PDB file of all heavy atoms in Angstrom:
ATOM      1  N   LEU A 311       7.009  17.356  -0.552  1.00  0.00           N
ATOM      2  CA  LEU A 311       6.755  16.242  -1.463  1.00  0.00           C
ATOM      3  C   LEU A 311       6.218  16.843  -2.877  1.00  0.00           C
ATOM      4  O   LEU A 311       6.776  16.327  -3.951  1.00  0.00           O
ATOM      5  CB  LEU A 311       5.742  15.371  -0.857  1.00  0.00           C
ATOM      6  CG  LEU A 311       5.361  14.062  -1.797  1.00  0.00           C
ATOM      7  CD1 LEU A 311       6.534  13.185  -1.969  1.00  0.00           C
ATOM      8  CD2 LEU A 311       4.276  13.165  -1.122  1.00  0.00           C
ATOM      9  N   GLU A 312       5.260  17.693  -2.756  1.00  0.00           N
ATOM     10  CA  GLU A 312       4.699  18.292  -4.138  1.00  0.00           C
ATOM     11  C   GLU A 312       5.670  18.943  -4.901  1.00  0.00           C
ATOM     12  O   GLU A 312       5.895  18.793  -6.112  1.00  0.00           O
ATOM     13  CB  GLU A 312       3.565  19.219  -3.780  1.00  0.00           C
ATOM     14  CG  GLU A 312       2.923  19.784  -5.018  1.00  0.00           C
ATOM     15  CD  GLU A 312       1.820  20.835  -4.662  1.00  0.00           C
ATOM     16  OE1 GLU A 312       1.257  20.708  -3.503  1.00  0.00           O
ATOM     17  OE2 GLU A 312       1.584  21.544  -5.494  1.00  0.00           O
ATOM     18  N   ASN A 313       6.558  19.724  -4.223  1.00  0.00           N
ATOM     19  CA  ASN A 313       7.623  20.488  -4.957  1.00  0.00           C
ATOM     20  C   ASN A 313       8.724  19.474  -5.661  1.00  0.00           C
ATOM     21  O   ASN A 313       9.184  19.764  -6.713  1.00  0.00           O
ATOM     22  CB  ASN A 313       8.349  21.541  -4.162  1.00  0.00           C
ATOM     23  CG  ASN A 313       7.428  22.706  -4.070  1.00  0.00           C
ATOM     24  OD1 ASN A 313       7.587  23.659  -4.956  1.00  0.00           O
ATOM     25  ND2 ASN A 313       6.684  22.943  -2.982  1.00  0.00           N
ATOM     26  N   TYR A 314       9.033  18.530  -4.814  1.00  0.00           N
ATOM     27  CA  TYR A 314       9.955  17.416  -5.211  1.00  0.00           C
ATOM     28  C   TYR A 314       9.439  16.761  -6.442  1.00  0.00           C
ATOM     29  O   TYR A 314      10.164  16.518  -7.324  1.00  0.00           O
ATOM     30  CB  TYR A 314      10.379  16.515  -4.076  1.00  0.00           C
ATOM     31  CG  TYR A 314      11.207  15.418  -4.421  1.00  0.00           C
ATOM     32  CD1 TYR A 314      12.635  15.764  -4.620  1.00  0.00           C
ATOM     33  CD2 TYR A 314      10.789  14.149  -4.680  1.00  0.00           C
ATOM     34  CE1 TYR A 314      13.579  14.779  -4.972  1.00  0.00           C
ATOM     35  CE2 TYR A 314      11.818  13.197  -4.913  1.00  0.00           C
ATOM     36  CZ  TYR A 314      13.154  13.441  -5.239  1.00  0.00           C
ATOM     37  OH  TYR A 314      13.933  12.580  -5.478  1.00  0.00           O
ATOM     38  N   MET A 315       8.186  16.323  -6.378  1.00  0.00           N
ATOM     39  CA  MET A 315       7.615  15.550  -7.513  1.00  0.00           C
ATOM     40  C   MET A 315       7.445  16.532  -8.834  1.00  0.00           C
ATOM     41  O   MET A 315       7.777  16.053  -9.836  1.00  0.00           O
ATOM     42  CB  MET A 315       6.260  15.020  -7.125  1.00  0.00           C
ATOM     43  CG  MET A 315       6.232  13.838  -6.012  1.00  0.00           C
ATOM     44  SD  MET A 315       4.663  13.397  -5.581  1.00  0.00           S
ATOM     45  CE  MET A 315       4.210  12.408  -7.077  1.00  0.00           C
ATOM     46  N   ASN A 316       7.090  17.754  -8.546  1.00  0.00           N
ATOM     47  CA  ASN A 316       7.128  18.666  -9.610  1.00  0.00           C
ATOM     48  C   ASN A 316       8.597  18.874 -10.315  1.00  0.00           C
ATOM     49  O   ASN A 316       8.659  18.951 -11.529  1.00  0.00           O
ATOM     50  CB  ASN A 316       6.575  19.991  -9.267  1.00  0.00           C
ATOM     51  CG  ASN A 316       5.129  20.073  -8.938  1.00  0.00           C
ATOM     52  OD1 ASN A 316       4.407  19.109  -9.435  1.00  0.00           O
ATOM     53  ND2 ASN A 316       4.639  20.952  -8.106  1.00  0.00           N
ATOM     54  N   GLU A 317       9.529  18.864  -9.417  1.00  0.00           N
ATOM     55  CA  GLU A 317      10.891  19.097 -10.000  1.00  0.00           C
ATOM     56  C   GLU A 317      11.340  17.753 -10.734  1.00  0.00           C
ATOM     57  O   GLU A 317      11.876  17.956 -11.826  1.00  0.00           O
ATOM     58  CB  GLU A 317      11.794  19.444  -8.881  1.00  0.00           C
ATOM     59  CG  GLU A 317      13.270  19.812  -9.332  1.00  0.00           C
ATOM     60  CD  GLU A 317      14.119  20.461  -8.235  1.00  0.00           C
ATOM     61  OE1 GLU A 317      13.531  20.694  -7.164  1.00  0.00           O
ATOM     62  OE2 GLU A 317      15.334  20.466  -8.538  1.00  0.00           O
ATOM     63  N   LEU A 318      11.102  16.632 -10.250  1.00  0.00           N
ATOM     64  CA  LEU A 318      11.308  15.342 -11.035  1.00  0.00           C
ATOM     65  C   LEU A 318      10.695  15.513 -12.450  1.00  0.00           C
ATOM     66  O   LEU A 318      11.243  15.020 -13.463  1.00  0.00           O
ATOM     67  CB  LEU A 318      10.789  14.197 -10.209  1.00  0.00           C
ATOM     68  CG  LEU A 318      11.682  13.735  -8.981  1.00  0.00           C
ATOM     69  CD1 LEU A 318      11.022  12.545  -8.327  1.00  0.00           C
ATOM     70  CD2 LEU A 318      13.119  13.447  -9.359  1.00  0.00           C
ATOM     71  N   SER A 319       9.465  15.926 -12.451  1.00  0.00           N
ATOM     72  CA  SER A 319       8.604  15.882 -13.684  1.00  0.00           C
ATOM     73  C   SER A 319       9.425  16.959 -14.680  1.00  0.00           C
ATOM     74  O   SER A 319       9.642  16.683 -15.857  1.00  0.00           O
ATOM     75  CB  SER A 319       7.192  16.353 -13.499  1.00  0.00           C
ATOM     76  OG  SER A 319       6.591  15.438 -12.653  1.00  0.00           O
ATOM     77  N   GLU A 320       9.667  18.130 -14.064  1.00  0.00           N
ATOM     78  CA  GLU A 320      10.410  19.073 -14.842  1.00  0.00           C
ATOM     79  C   GLU A 320      11.755  18.656 -15.476  1.00  0.00           C
ATOM     80  O   GLU A 320      12.167  18.727 -16.613  1.00  0.00           O
ATOM     81  CB  GLU A 320      10.652  20.426 -14.055  1.00  0.00           C
ATOM     82  CG  GLU A 320      11.321  21.468 -14.906  1.00  0.00           C
ATOM     83  CD  GLU A 320      11.667  22.724 -13.986  1.00  0.00           C
ATOM     84  OE1 GLU A 320      11.084  22.729 -12.923  1.00  0.00           O
ATOM     85  OE2 GLU A 320      12.438  23.537 -14.406  1.00  0.00           O
ATOM     86  N   GLN A 321      12.458  17.911 -14.561  1.00  0.00           N
ATOM     87  CA  GLN A 321      13.840  17.329 -14.934  1.00  0.00           C
ATOM     88  C   GLN A 321      13.519  16.355 -16.073  1.00  0.00           C
ATOM     89  O   GLN A 321      14.418  16.284 -16.985  1.00  0.00           O
ATOM     90  CB  GLN A 321      14.688  16.730 -13.821  1.00  0.00           C
ATOM     91  CG  GLN A 321      15.064  17.643 -12.756  1.00  0.00           C
ATOM     92  CD  GLN A 321      16.396  18.507 -13.218  1.00  0.00           C
ATOM     93  OE1 GLN A 321      16.948  18.057 -14.168  1.00  0.00           O
ATOM     94  NE2 GLN A 321      16.567  19.795 -12.736  1.00  0.00           N
ATOM     95  N   ALA A 322      12.667  15.593 -15.978  1.00  0.00           N
ATOM     96  CA  ALA A 322      12.400  14.432 -16.968  1.00  0.00           C
ATOM     97  C   ALA A 322      11.985  15.125 -18.271  1.00  0.00           C
ATOM     98  O   ALA A 322      12.343  14.547 -19.379  1.00  0.00           O
ATOM     99  CB  ALA A 322      11.316  13.395 -16.482  1.00  0.00           C
ATOM    100  N   ARG A 323      11.066  16.116 -18.228  1.00  0.00           N
ATOM    101  CA  ARG A 323      10.737  16.658 -19.428  1.00  0.00           C
ATOM    102  C   ARG A 323      11.912  17.451 -20.240  1.00  0.00           C
ATOM    103  O   ARG A 323      11.902  17.374 -21.324  1.00  0.00           O
ATOM    104  CB  ARG A 323       9.629  17.749 -19.145  1.00  0.00           C
ATOM    105  CG  ARG A 323       8.243  17.165 -18.991  1.00  0.00           C
ATOM    106  CD  ARG A 323       7.082  18.123 -19.017  1.00  0.00           C
ATOM    107  NE  ARG A 323       7.212  18.983 -17.863  1.00  0.00           N
ATOM    108  CZ  ARG A 323       6.476  18.894 -16.567  1.00  0.00           C
ATOM    109  NH1 ARG A 323       5.942  17.781 -16.523  1.00  0.00           N
ATOM    110  NH2 ARG A 323       6.667  19.776 -15.723  1.00  0.00           N
ATOM    111  N   ASN A 324      12.699  18.040 -19.351  1.00  0.00           N
ATOM    112  CA  ASN A 324      13.935  18.686 -19.919  1.00  0.00           C
ATOM    113  C   ASN A 324      14.871  17.718 -20.660  1.00  0.00           C
ATOM    114  O   ASN A 324      15.484  18.009 -21.610  1.00  0.00           O
ATOM    115  CB  ASN A 324      14.656  19.546 -18.872  1.00  0.00           C
ATOM    116  CG  ASN A 324      13.866  20.702 -18.509  1.00  0.00           C
ATOM    117  OD1 ASN A 324      12.968  21.063 -19.119  1.00  0.00           O
ATOM    118  ND2 ASN A 324      14.164  21.230 -17.226  1.00  0.00           N
ATOM    119  N   ALA A 325      14.840  16.538 -20.100  1.00  0.00           N
ATOM    120  CA  ALA A 325      15.728  15.476 -20.571  1.00  0.00           C
ATOM    121  C   ALA A 325      15.065  14.639 -21.689  1.00  0.00           C
ATOM    122  O   ALA A 325      15.607  13.700 -22.214  1.00  0.00           O
ATOM    123  CB  ALA A 325      16.108  14.416 -19.481  1.00  0.00           C
ATOM    124  N   GLY A 326      13.853  15.055 -22.019  1.00  0.00           N
ATOM    125  CA  GLY A 326      13.193  14.399 -23.139  1.00  0.00           C
ATOM    126  C   GLY A 326      12.450  13.085 -22.677  1.00  0.00           C
ATOM    127  O   GLY A 326      12.027  12.320 -23.527  1.00  0.00           O
ATOM    128  N   GLU A 327      12.316  12.810 -21.379  1.00  0.00           N
ATOM    129  CA  GLU A 327      11.770  11.557 -20.890  1.00  0.00           C
ATOM    130  C   GLU A 327      10.301  11.786 -20.915  1.00  0.00           C
ATOM    131  O   GLU A 327       9.675  12.814 -20.835  1.00  0.00           O
ATOM    132  CB  GLU A 327      12.266  11.162 -19.515  1.00  0.00           C
ATOM    133  CG  GLU A 327      13.756  10.845 -19.421  1.00  0.00           C
ATOM    134  CD  GLU A 327      14.221  10.741 -17.984  1.00  0.00           C
ATOM    135  OE1 GLU A 327      13.356  10.406 -17.110  1.00  0.00           O
ATOM    136  OE2 GLU A 327      15.420  10.880 -17.722  1.00  0.00           O
ATOM    137  N   ASP A 328       9.526  10.559 -20.980  1.00  0.00           N
ATOM    138  CA  ASP A 328       8.003  10.502 -20.923  1.00  0.00           C
ATOM    139  C   ASP A 328       7.555  10.604 -19.497  1.00  0.00           C
ATOM    140  O   ASP A 328       7.417   9.602 -18.840  1.00  0.00           O
ATOM    141  CB  ASP A 328       7.608   9.245 -21.714  1.00  0.00           C
ATOM    142  CG  ASP A 328       6.494   9.631 -22.517  1.00  0.00           C
ATOM    143  OD1 ASP A 328       6.119  10.744 -22.687  1.00  0.00           O
ATOM    144  OD2 ASP A 328       6.086   8.717 -23.292  1.00  0.00           O
ATOM    145  N   TYR A 329       7.245  11.847 -18.936  1.00  0.00           N
ATOM    146  CA  TYR A 329       6.908  11.979 -17.531  1.00  0.00           C
ATOM    147  C   TYR A 329       5.821  12.919 -17.358  1.00  0.00           C
ATOM    148  O   TYR A 329       5.744  13.707 -16.382  1.00  0.00           O
ATOM    149  CB  TYR A 329       8.125  12.318 -16.761  1.00  0.00           C
ATOM    150  CG  TYR A 329       8.116  12.056 -15.257  1.00  0.00           C
ATOM    151  CD1 TYR A 329       8.755  10.781 -14.825  1.00  0.00           C
ATOM    152  CD2 TYR A 329       7.468  12.929 -14.451  1.00  0.00           C
ATOM    153  CE1 TYR A 329       8.823  10.481 -13.584  1.00  0.00           C
ATOM    154  CE2 TYR A 329       7.470  12.566 -13.116  1.00  0.00           C
ATOM    155  CZ  TYR A 329       8.098  11.311 -12.651  1.00  0.00           C
ATOM    156  OH  TYR A 329       8.147  11.051 -11.334  1.00  0.00           O
ATOM    157  N   SER A 330       4.949  13.066 -18.307  1.00  0.00           N
ATOM    158  CA  SER A 330       3.932  14.197 -18.249  1.00  0.00           C
ATOM    159  C   SER A 330       2.843  13.774 -17.375  1.00  0.00           C
ATOM    160  O   SER A 330       2.545  12.651 -17.095  1.00  0.00           O
ATOM    161  CB  SER A 330       3.530  14.559 -19.708  1.00  0.00           C
ATOM    162  OG  SER A 330       2.695  13.408 -20.146  1.00  0.00           O
ATOM    163  N   ASP A 331       1.920  14.710 -17.046  1.00  0.00           N
ATOM    164  CA  ASP A 331       0.864  14.355 -16.273  1.00  0.00           C
ATOM    165  C   ASP A 331      -0.241  13.609 -16.893  1.00  0.00           C
ATOM    166  O   ASP A 331      -1.030  13.040 -16.432  1.00  0.00           O
ATOM    167  CB  ASP A 331       0.174  15.737 -15.845  1.00  0.00           C
ATOM    168  CG  ASP A 331       1.065  16.610 -14.939  1.00  0.00           C
ATOM    169  OD1 ASP A 331       1.709  15.779 -14.084  1.00  0.00           O
ATOM    170  OD2 ASP A 331       0.974  17.761 -15.006  1.00  0.00           O
ATOM    171  N   GLU A 332      -0.108  13.584 -18.384  1.00  0.00           N
ATOM    172  CA  GLU A 332      -1.018  12.731 -19.044  1.00  0.00           C
ATOM    173  C   GLU A 332      -0.673  11.348 -19.205  1.00  0.00           C
ATOM    174  O   GLU A 332      -1.448  10.481 -19.684  1.00  0.00           O
ATOM    175  CB  GLU A 332      -1.196  13.261 -20.485  1.00  0.00           C
ATOM    176  CG  GLU A 332      -1.899  14.684 -20.488  1.00  0.00           C
ATOM    177  CD  GLU A 332      -1.140  15.754 -20.125  1.00  0.00           C
ATOM    178  OE1 GLU A 332       0.141  15.647 -20.123  1.00  0.00           O
ATOM    179  OE2 GLU A 332      -1.734  16.812 -19.595  1.00  0.00           O
ATOM    180  N   LEU A 333       0.493  10.979 -18.645  1.00  0.00           N
ATOM    181  CA  LEU A 333       0.857   9.549 -18.675  1.00  0.00           C
ATOM    182  C   LEU A 333       0.139   8.710 -17.659  1.00  0.00           C
ATOM    183  O   LEU A 333      -0.462   9.217 -16.693  1.00  0.00           O
ATOM    184  CB  LEU A 333       2.407   9.470 -18.270  1.00  0.00           C
ATOM    185  CG  LEU A 333       3.488   9.831 -19.471  1.00  0.00           C
ATOM    186  CD1 LEU A 333       4.774   9.775 -18.816  1.00  0.00           C
ATOM    187  CD2 LEU A 333       3.270   8.795 -20.500  1.00  0.00           C
ATOM    188  N   PRO A 334       0.095   7.478 -17.924  1.00  0.00           N
ATOM    189  CA  PRO A 334      -0.517   6.429 -16.956  1.00  0.00           C
ATOM    190  C   PRO A 334       0.188   6.679 -15.643  1.00  0.00           C
ATOM    191  O   PRO A 334       1.281   6.926 -15.500  1.00  0.00           O
ATOM    192  CB  PRO A 334      -0.244   5.222 -17.579  1.00  0.00           C
ATOM    193  CG  PRO A 334      -0.086   5.368 -19.066  1.00  0.00           C
ATOM    194  CD  PRO A 334       0.539   6.749 -19.167  1.00  0.00           C
ATOM    195  N   SER A 335      -0.578   6.494 -14.625  1.00  0.00           N
ATOM    196  CA  SER A 335      -0.099   6.769 -13.278  1.00  0.00           C
ATOM    197  C   SER A 335       0.735   5.377 -12.849  1.00  0.00           C
ATOM    198  O   SER A 335       0.769   4.549 -13.481  1.00  0.00           O
ATOM    199  CB  SER A 335      -1.146   7.042 -12.317  1.00  0.00           C
ATOM    200  OG  SER A 335      -1.949   5.880 -12.173  1.00  0.00           O
ATOM    201  N   ASP A 336       0.916   5.413 -11.423  1.00  0.00           N
ATOM    202  CA  ASP A 336       1.767   4.313 -10.905  1.00  0.00           C
ATOM    203  C   ASP A 336       1.017   3.096 -10.981  1.00  0.00           C
ATOM    204  O   ASP A 336       1.727   2.005 -11.048  1.00  0.00           O
ATOM    205  CB  ASP A 336       2.074   4.617  -9.398  1.00  0.00           C
ATOM    206  CG  ASP A 336       3.233   5.657  -9.346  1.00  0.00           C
ATOM    207  OD1 ASP A 336       3.876   5.912 -10.362  1.00  0.00           O
ATOM    208  OD2 ASP A 336       3.294   6.268  -8.318  1.00  0.00           O
ATOM    209  N   GLU A 337      -0.240   3.063 -10.919  1.00  0.00           N
ATOM    210  CA  GLU A 337      -0.936   1.737 -10.841  1.00  0.00           C
ATOM    211  C   GLU A 337      -1.545   1.380 -12.238  1.00  0.00           C
ATOM    212  O   GLU A 337      -2.605   0.866 -12.446  1.00  0.00           O
ATOM    213  CB  GLU A 337      -2.122   1.908  -9.870  1.00  0.00           C
ATOM    214  CG  GLU A 337      -1.602   1.381  -8.540  1.00  0.00           C
ATOM    215  CD  GLU A 337      -1.970   2.334  -7.470  1.00  0.00           C
ATOM    216  OE1 GLU A 337      -2.730   3.153  -7.659  1.00  0.00           O
ATOM    217  OE2 GLU A 337      -1.593   2.041  -6.257  1.00  0.00           O
ATOM    218  N   GLU A 338      -0.708   1.837 -13.233  1.00  0.00           N
ATOM    219  CA  GLU A 338      -1.252   1.683 -14.687  1.00  0.00           C
ATOM    220  C   GLU A 338      -1.653   0.199 -14.971  1.00  0.00           C
ATOM    221  O   GLU A 338      -2.637   0.019 -15.671  1.00  0.00           O
ATOM    222  CB  GLU A 338      -0.114   2.108 -15.654  1.00  0.00           C
ATOM    223  CG  GLU A 338      -0.397   1.777 -16.985  1.00  0.00           C
ATOM    224  CD  GLU A 338       0.908   1.931 -17.826  1.00  0.00           C
ATOM    225  OE1 GLU A 338       1.890   2.692 -17.377  1.00  0.00           O
ATOM    226  OE2 GLU A 338       0.965   1.633 -19.014  1.00  0.00           O
ATOM    227  N   ILE A 339      -1.011  -0.737 -14.592  1.00  0.00           N
ATOM    228  CA  ILE A 339      -1.324  -2.080 -14.958  1.00  0.00           C
ATOM    229  C   ILE A 339      -1.539  -2.938 -13.665  1.00  0.00           C
ATOM    230  O   ILE A 339      -1.503  -4.097 -13.688  1.00  0.00           O
ATOM    231  CB  ILE A 339      -0.075  -2.828 -15.749  1.00  0.00           C
ATOM    232  CG1 ILE A 339       1.137  -2.850 -14.879  1.00  0.00           C
ATOM    233  CG2 ILE A 339       0.282  -2.081 -16.958  1.00  0.00           C
ATOM    234  CD1 ILE A 339       2.278  -3.760 -15.415  1.00  0.00           C
ATOM    235  N   VAL A 340      -2.141  -2.447 -12.756  1.00  0.00           N
ATOM    236  CA  VAL A 340      -2.530  -3.103 -11.529  1.00  0.00           C
ATOM    237  C   VAL A 340      -3.679  -3.958 -11.843  1.00  0.00           C
ATOM    238  O   VAL A 340      -4.626  -3.541 -12.556  1.00  0.00           O
ATOM    239  CB  VAL A 340      -3.006  -2.230 -10.339  1.00  0.00           C
ATOM    240  CG1 VAL A 340      -3.560  -3.016  -9.255  1.00  0.00           C
ATOM    241  CG2 VAL A 340      -1.782  -1.430  -9.918  1.00  0.00           C
ATOM    242  N   TYR A 341      -3.700  -5.159 -11.429  1.00  0.00           N
ATOM    243  CA  TYR A 341      -4.727  -6.251 -11.720  1.00  0.00           C
ATOM    244  C   TYR A 341      -4.960  -6.595 -13.062  1.00  0.00           C
ATOM    245  O   TYR A 341      -5.910  -7.037 -13.463  1.00  0.00           O
ATOM    246  CB  TYR A 341      -6.057  -5.668 -11.127  1.00  0.00           C
ATOM    247  CG  TYR A 341      -6.066  -5.221  -9.737  1.00  0.00           C
ATOM    248  CD1 TYR A 341      -6.360  -3.937  -9.332  1.00  0.00           C
ATOM    249  CD2 TYR A 341      -5.640  -6.033  -8.676  1.00  0.00           C
ATOM    250  CE1 TYR A 341      -6.329  -3.357  -8.138  1.00  0.00           C
ATOM    251  CE2 TYR A 341      -5.606  -5.600  -7.500  1.00  0.00           C
ATOM    252  CZ  TYR A 341      -6.018  -4.305  -7.098  1.00  0.00           C
ATOM    253  OH  TYR A 341      -5.850  -3.754  -5.808  1.00  0.00           O
TER     254      TYR A 341
END
Side-chain angles (χ1 to χ4, degrees):
L311 182 60
E312 182 181 337
N313 280 277
Y314 179 75
M315 292 180 74
N316 288 340
E317 189 168 346
L318 284 178
S319 298
E320 181 185 348
Q321 289 287 336
R323 282 193 292 268
N324 291 340
E327 297 174 17
D328 228 356
Y329 203 95
S330 67
D331 292 328
E332 290 72 27
L333 278 175
S335 71
D336 286 343
E337 273 136 4
E338 170 186 350
I339 62 168
V340 176
Y341 308 119

